[in-house]
Amino acid sequence: MAGRLQDKIAIVFGAGSVGPGWGNGKATAAVFAREGAQVACIDVNRAAAEETVAIITAEGGRASAHACDATHSDEVAALVADIVAAHGRIDVLHNNVGYAGMGGPIELDEADWHRTLDLNVTTCFLAAKHVLPHMLARKKGAIINVSSVAAIRYTGYPYSAYYAAKAAVNNFTIGLALQYARDGIRVNAIMPGMMNTPLIHQQIAGQYASTEEMIAARDAASPTGKMGTAWDIAHAALFLASDEAAYINGVALPVDGGLTCRVA
């Protein structure tokens, strides 16, 4: 079905990729545009956002690139104001900024702890803080927060701050969903499982002797025998952003090949 987001104004925080290939935010921005949305591609790295926009426009889609540190309230506020001034509204907010620093309480210093919480949780808070007033004015909107199966399961990695941060994202999502349900605003989360994206090569690879070992181990950890891809997350986000999900609210959707169904 084409045009599921036709003429919607969507903003994607974390729309660039940290390395070659397709990250979750980059793929989501592309899928939103393919389905008719005007997409504001936001990333702390402008070049990464511009790369995503170049792909979208080459396909005939509509998108704009924006640089923003999503942990800074003033930058987020100014960006949201600019987008509303240009387009009159925001229909979809997709929060994809994240970070997984390794270490338990002994190994992590306080700065790393706060950085993990800021990048995973504060970014969702600030985006919602500045976008929600515009959605409330129209009594309509969809917000998707990218969480992780680490919010509800031990995934084998020693990243205690990440577990805490993603659990907070889930409950932040539920709180917003119920607070604003009668205002026509839906808020849901996506929990990726073992995914094969550029991010794992930057933040996870150090836990293994080689890239090949990492990929083999993560493939084996999935019930399907293969990691998922950024496109799996993007298509879940498309559904949650679309009117087809009009009665879905407060859900933390696992996109994990069944990983969270396992007892062990």
Side-chain angles (χ1 to χ4, degrees), residues 126-175:
L126 291 176
K129 180 179 184 66
H130 296 297
V131 169
L132 273 168
H134 300 287
M135 290 183 169
L136 286 168
R138 298 179 62 245
K139 296 292 184 181
K140 189 173 184 180
I143 298 174
I144 303 110
N145 298 319
V146 177
S147 181
S148 169
V149 298
I152 61 171
R153 294 286 190 277
Y154 179 68
T155 60
Y157 298 115
Y159 45 28
S160 60
Y162 188 70
Y163 292 118
K166 290 306 191 183
V169 169
N170 279 17
N171 281 282
F172 178 69
T173 298
I174 291 167

Side-chain angles (χ1 to χ4, degrees), residues 157 194-196 200-201 204-205 208-227 262:
Y157 298 115
M194 295 293 174
M195 315 306 293
N196 193 351
I200 69 170
H201 297 272
I204 302 293
Y208 301 90
S210 67
T211 298
E212 292 74 20
E213 180 185 303
M214 173 181 70
I215 292 173
R218 288 173 62 87
D219 281 345
S222 173
T224 66
K226 201 76 173 173
M227 284 185 279
R262 281 182 166 168

Side-chain angles (χ1 to χ4, degrees), residues 43-226:
D43 204 276
V44 69
N45 180 354
R46 176 178 284 278
E50 289 174 345
E51 179 188 19
T52 303
V53 170
I55 293 169
I56 290 171
T57 55
E59 294 180 346
R62 298 171 297 159
S64 56
H66 308 267
C68 177
D69 185 333
T71 67
H72 290 181
S73 185
D74 56 345
E75 291 190 32
V76 177
L79 177 60
V80 169
D82 286 347
I83 292 168
V84 172
H87 302 291
R89 67 189 192 279
I90 294 171
D91 299 299
V92 179
L93 166 62
H94 186 79
N95 288 313
N96 184 68
V97 178
Y99 170 75
M102 295 296 165
I106 296 172
E107 297 82 17
L108 276 181
D109 62 29
E110 291 178 31
D112 286 336
W113 169 265
H114 288 295
R115 182 181 185 220
T116 303
L117 291 178
D118 277 347
L119 286 169
N120 289 286
V121 188
T122 304
T123 54
C124 292
F125 164 73
L126 291 176
K129 180 179 184 66
H130 296 297
V131 169
L132 273 168
H134 300 287
M135 290 183 169
L136 286 168
R138 298 179 62 245
K139 296 292 184 181
K140 189 173 184 180
I143 298 174
I144 303 110
N145 298 319
V146 177
S147 181
S148 169
V149 298
I152 61 171
R153 294 286 190 277
Y154 179 68
T155 60
Y157 298 115
Y159 45 28
S160 60
Y162 188 70
Y163 292 118
K166 290 306 191 183
V169 169
N170 279 17
N171 281 282
F172 178 69
T173 298
I174 291 167
L176 291 187
L178 296 182
Q179 182 175 353
Y180 297 108
R182 290 181 181 268
D183 295 303
I185 297 167
R186 298 182 297 105
V187 190
N188 294 288
I190 296 171
M191 297 192 297
M194 295 293 174
M195 315 306 293
N196 193 351
T197 65
L199 191 70
I200 69 170
H201 297 272
Q202 183 189 82
Q203 299 181 10
I204 302 293
Q207 300 300 299
Y208 301 90
S210 67
T211 298
E212 292 74 20
E213 180 185 303
M214 173 181 70
I215 292 173
R218 288 173 62 87
D219 281 345
S222 173
T224 66
K226 201 76 173 173

